[in-house]
Amino acid sequence: MAFNQSGVGLPMAASFRVVYRIEDVAMALLFGIGYAGIIFEHSLAFNKSGIGLLMAVSLWVVRSIGAPSTEIAVSELTHAFAEVSEIVFFLLGAMTIVEIINAHQGFKLITDNITTRKPRILLWLVGFVTFLLSSVLDNLTSTVVMVSLLRKLVPPSEFRRLLGAVVVIAANAGGAWTPIGDVTTTMLWIHGQLSTLQTMKDLFVPSVVSLAVPLALISLTSNINGKEQDFFNVLASEQMAPRGQLVFSVGIGALFFVPVFKVVTGLPPYMGMLLGLGVLWILTDAIHNGESERQNLKVPEALSRIDYQGALFILGTLLSISSLEAAGILRQLANNLDAHIPSTEVIACAIGVVSAIIDNVPLVAAAMGMYDLSTFPQDSVFWQMIAYCAGTGGSMLVIGSSAGVAFMGMEKVDFFWYLRKVSAFAFAGYVAGIGAYLAIHNLPISLSTTSTAEVPAFARTFPWHQATQ
């Protein structure tokens, strides 16, 4: 007997093997065609949201045909849709809260304090504000907040797109070094592969390096020179709405409260986001009660202005990825990496590179399924590198992370613009962060208190460990 991905025993008949291969090939081809359609959306004049939804449904149809039974496929789809819906509702809640703050001109409290006339300084300021924000919030929320702020601060231009791309890099870098900053780090933290303080201590410097290197390289380009001297005057003529400071404080407080809500209640983060939206909804209804001329400041009007198109694109993309996971294609990819690449560090780096194309969540889930804590104990080099690489690797392509997908939808950037203007810088930061991590762990002081029994077997074969013996 052989077992398929759902654990159902099936005879090893030749006909089954052919069907199985056809299913895999068909799904891989459909995903490739859909992915190409998203990349070339402007050339094809097709909206990427429609392509994403069509791709998702087509993949799940093929999965239902190839699954042992329709009931198993429906069960897999139900589970996948539940997980994807958490992200979509989280995004919708965050976007609505940000839109309400925008309507009240609440971000003037921040933009009025940005007085620099130098684009390079703004570049670094936006990068590190996003980095710190993403370490407390998640990278998706941080991206929504910062891109919304940039849309109020900087007029539409190449410079604003470049700042938005910096937000993506910074949000992914900031989310990688804390357990609540990125969904993959959170997964590893919840399942015991990482601890809180050790993760923050060991991954902080590599994460900073992965941001600082792209910022330094972008600062040397001509894209931020000259033409953007008056960007800070965009809000100068706008007045904050009545009680705008209160709405800003409650809205930002609601976003910051999301990780606290998760820790206190154990419920998914989207529940905390919906709680914050509900509180802000009641607040705006109360403070604008009877003010018919200010209906645009209330939640129903805000809901009409948020980017549902971008949310549907995320829904289609993540459902497509989940179909590949359900079919076992992603697990096969991880197993092939394990079989053909002897170094687990290289595997971690490869997972980061692949996560620029395919969502990092199923890749990390596959890695967690391949290895357990008896193979690599808590806070081992392998798990920390998985957290860093999967968290920051998605910055190399705009479609490689939820932060990038949100930026892509909000600013209407296309795949090739990001590939030409940003990918090389993000890759340089990714590699530099890996180098920083390995250099820190190569220092004798890093391993002076670590016994041989505490070091994973693969790490004992490396020169820096042998040098300490």
Side-chain angles (χ1 to χ4, degrees):
M1 295 287 284
F3 292 86
N4 66 359
Q5 287 76 24
S6 302
V8 179
L10 294 170
M12 288 295 290
S15 59
F16 171 76
R17 291 198 298 269
V18 171
V19 172
Y20 181 82
R21 290 169 184 161
I22 291 175
E23 174 199 346
D24 282 357
V25 171
M27 294 185 72
L29 285 175
L30 281 173
F31 182 79
I33 293 171
Y35 185 72
I38 292 172
I39 294 175
F40 294 102
E41 64 161 334
H42 293 290
S43 301
L44 299 174
F46 295 142
N47 189 283
K48 64 179 180 292
S49 299
I51 296 173
L53 293 175
L54 182 61
M55 176 174 63
V57 175
S58 300
L59 284 168
W60 275 104
V61 168
V62 175
R63 174 55 189 158
S64 69
I65 295 172
S69 68
T70 303
E71 289 75 16
I72 290 178
V74 170
S75 176
E76 292 171 342
L77 176 58
T78 301
H79 177 73
F81 193 81
E83 292 186 342
V84 172
S85 295
E86 290 187 13
I87 298 175
V88 173
F89 279 108
F90 185 95
L91 175 61
L92 290 174
M95 291 171 67
T96 306
I97 290 174
V98 170
E99 181 58 40
I100 295 170
I101 296 174
N102 275 339
H104 287 80
Q105 302 300 335
F107 286 120
K108 279 178 64 67
L109 294 173
I110 297 177
T111 56
D112 285 350
N113 291 307
I114 299 178
T115 59
T116 177
R117 293 175 179 267
K118 298 181 179 179
R120 282 191 176 87
I121 295 178
L122 180 63
L123 186 81
W124 285 82
L125 183 63
V126 167
F128 278 98
V129 167
T130 306
F131 180 87
L132 295 175
L133 189 64
S134 181
S135 67
V136 180
L137 303 177
D138 68 286
N139 52 4
L140 180 59
T141 305
S142 303
T143 300
V144 172
V145 170
M146 292 302 296
V147 171
S148 297
L149 187 151
L150 290 176
R151 294 172 74 175
K152 304 297 290 185
L153 178 66
V154 184
S157 61
E158 183 79 358
F159 179 54
R160 191 172 86 180
R161 285 187 168 193
L162 199 59
L163 287 175
V166 166
V167 166
V168 173
I169 296 173
N172 289 331
W177 68 281
T178 65
I180 60 175
D182 183 83
V183 62
T184 52
T185 312
T186 301
M187 288 166 54
L188 294 166
W189 172 56
I190 291 175
H191 288 85
Q193 281 84 359
L194 298 175
S195 63
T196 301
L197 295 179
Q198 194 67 32
T199 299
M200 295 173 68
K201 180 171 70 75
D202 290 346
L203 295 185
F204 176 74
V205 172
S207 297
V208 170
V209 170
S210 72
L211 171 61
V213 169
L215 287 177
L217 294 175
I218 294 174
S219 296
L220 300 176
T221 68
S222 60
N223 293 326
I224 60 172
N225 289 328
K227 297 182 180 180
E228 310 297 337
Q229 298 300 317
D230 295 327
F231 58 84
F232 59 89
N233 288 324
V234 174
L235 291 180
S237 61
E238 299 183 2
Q239 297 296 321
M240 184 177 293
R243 295 168 289 277
Q245 291 188 13
L246 174 62
V247 172
F248 173 82
S249 300
V250 174
I252 295 297
L255 296 176
F256 275 96
F257 181 70
V258 171
V260 178
F261 177 87
K262 180 185 182 301
V263 172
V264 172
T265 66
L267 294 174
Y270 77 94
M271 292 296 289
M273 189 64 70
L274 294 179
L275 172 64
L277 177 58
V279 170
L280 200 59
W281 197 323
I282 298 299
L283 174 66
T284 52
D285 281 349
I287 64 179
H288 298 303
N289 183 34
E291 300 175 351
S292 58
E293 72 281 5
R294 296 197 176 102
Q295 293 301 310
N296 65 309
L297 301 180
K298 294 185 178 181
V299 172
E301 289 293 325
L303 287 171
S304 69
R305 296 191 296 267
I306 65 175
D307 185 17
Y308 288 104
Q309 177 179 290
L312 288 175
F313 172 62
I314 294 174
L315 175 68
T317 302
L318 295 183
L319 278 178
S320 299
I321 297 297
S322 66
S323 70
L324 301 180
E325 181 183 12
I329 295 175
L330 297 183
R331 181 59 58 87
Q332 291 177 26
L333 175 62
N335 289 338
N336 286 335
L337 288 174
D338 189 42
H340 296 93
I341 303 177
S343 170
T344 49
E345 264 106 346
V346 176
I347 290 177
C349 295
I351 287 176
V353 173
V354 174
S355 72
I357 304 173
I358 299 176
D359 187 69
N360 56 6
V361 173
L363 290 176
V364 172
M368 292 168 61
M370 290 167 55
Y371 307 102
D372 54 29
L373 290 173
S374 63
T375 305
F376 300 115
Q378 186 181 68
D379 294 323
S380 65
V381 171
F382 177 70
W383 294 123
Q384 289 187 347
M385 286 198 66
I386 287 287
Y388 168 81
C389 293
T392 61
S395 300
M396 289 184 280
L397 295 177
V398 70
I399 200 173
S401 65
S402 57
V405 171
F407 165 62
M408 189 179 186
M410 295 175 71
E411 286 293 278
K412 305 299 184 291
V413 300
D414 61 73
F415 178 88
F416 283 110
W417 178 89
Y418 192 95
L419 183 65
R420 292 193 311 269
K421 300 290 186 178
V422 182
S423 292
F425 300 138
F427 177 74
Y430 174 75
V431 173
I434 293 174
Y437 178 85
L438 295 178
I440 291 173
H441 282 261
N442 192 24
L443 296 175
I445 188 173
S446 300
L447 298 177
S448 60
T449 59
T450 305
S451 67
T452 301
E454 293 172 323
V455 178
F458 77 90
R460 293 197 293 269
T461 65
F462 296 152
W464 61 77
H465 178 75
Q466 294 171 356
T468 63
Q469 301 302 307

